[in-house]
Amino acid sequence: MNTTPMPPQRRGWPVGVQVRVRVRPWNTRRVYVIGGLLALALLGAGSGFRYRPVEAPGSSSPPPRQDVAAASVDLRSLRAEQRELQRKLDRKRPRGSYIVIDQTNNRLLLKRGDETLLEAPCSSGSGMVLHEGENGRTWVFDTPRGEFRVLQRKTSPAWRKPDWAFVEEGKPIPKDPAERIEYGVLGEYALHFGDGYLIHGTLYERLLGRSVSHGCIRLGRDDLRTVWRETRLGTPIYIF
């Protein structure tokens, strides 16, 4: 009996059978084809991004001709309205000299057309309120706003003191009219523009530029002389 050991058996392929595996190299064309197929698959599935083409500078289309024509018509219409408005303003502009009073800043301007002849500090109404006792009359010392005209011109004017002047001083209201007259407190000239309001001089020039009057417009002596010289009856006065 032969007791020579047999070589061990391998599982799988029989002993003595040679298996040859041939590995072929990738073809470049196949790589391009497979890559293209994958790209098409991704595009078909959707990437979630949206793309908007960007126009090159200067490539925007010009506006339609009818829009340009309409804009030109609107511009001509606006210019015509502007010219008409300017003509209306020119017709309303005073002829000759006129007075403008800015009582917020207490400035008086004497003008002729667009030319400013004088700009001066003035004093306007204080806005204070005066009561006559508990159940008496009440006065508010404001300067009126609006358009007025010079109604009277007086030299060396005398002041006829109204009732409120005596109430303010704590004095009884006189029955004799002569007791109401005071001289030298209104300066050299006075221009009346209605309802007891005047443009006049003052003894307290140091207070010019402040709202301290009882409603009249106060001016310094030299400025009042200029206003008197350049104005006439009917000269417009604009107060704002």
Side-chain angles (χ1 to χ4, degrees), residues 15 20 30 60 68 87 120 188 207 216 238:
V15 178
R20 295 182 179 180
R30 291 180 181 177
S60 58
V68 175
R87 284 193 292 267
E188 298 175 336
L207 298 179
C216 291
Y238 302 95

Side-chain angles (χ1 to χ4, degrees), residues 204-215:
Y204 307 101
E205 292 196 10
R206 67 182 183 280
L207 298 179
L208 291 173
R210 304 181 186 181
S211 300
V212 295
S213 81
H214 294 89

Side-chain angles (χ1 to χ4, degrees), residues 36-50:
L37 292 174
L38 289 175
L40 290 174
L42 290 174
L43 290 174
S47 62
F49 294 96
R50 296 292 183 267

Side-chain angles (χ1 to χ4, degrees), residues 91-101 108-113 146-151 191-193 199 227 230-239:
R91 287 195 295 267
K92 289 184 175 293
R93 179 175 297 176
R95 306 301 179 189
S97 301
Y98 60 96
I99 297 170
V100 178
I101 298 172
L108 181 144
L109 286 82
L110 177 64
K111 299 180 70 67
R112 182 186 297 124
E147 180 180 352
F148 308 90
R149 291 186 179 276
V150 176
L151 302 178
L191 304 176
H192 294 251
F193 58 91
I199 299 175
V227 170
E230 297 293 335
T231 57
R232 302 291 183 269
L233 289 177
T235 294
I237 301 174
Y238 302 95
I239 304 177

Side-chain angles (χ1 to χ4, degrees), residues 100-109 119-125 143 145 207-212 217-219 238-240:
V100 178
I101 298 172
D102 175 5
Q103 64 169 309
T104 301
N105 297 301
N106 285 301
R107 305 295 293 181
L108 181 144
L109 286 82
E119 181 175 353
C122 64
S123 290
S124 58
T143 299
R145 300 173 187 266
L207 298 179
L208 291 173
R210 304 181 186 181
S211 300
V212 295
I217 300 298
R218 301 176 183 176
L219 278 178
Y238 302 95
I239 304 177
F240 67 95

Side-chain angles (χ1 to χ4, degrees), residues 129-141 159 161-174 180 214:
V129 179
L130 176 65
H131 299 284
E132 184 183 23
E134 295 182 359
N135 302 316
R137 293 169 291 178
T138 299
W139 294 271
V140 180
F141 300 128
W159 183 35
K161 296 176 63 175
D163 290 351
W164 58 257
F166 296 96
V167 173
E168 187 177 47
E169 294 172 357
K171 298 179 180 179
I173 298 174
R180 292 178 177 267
H214 294 89

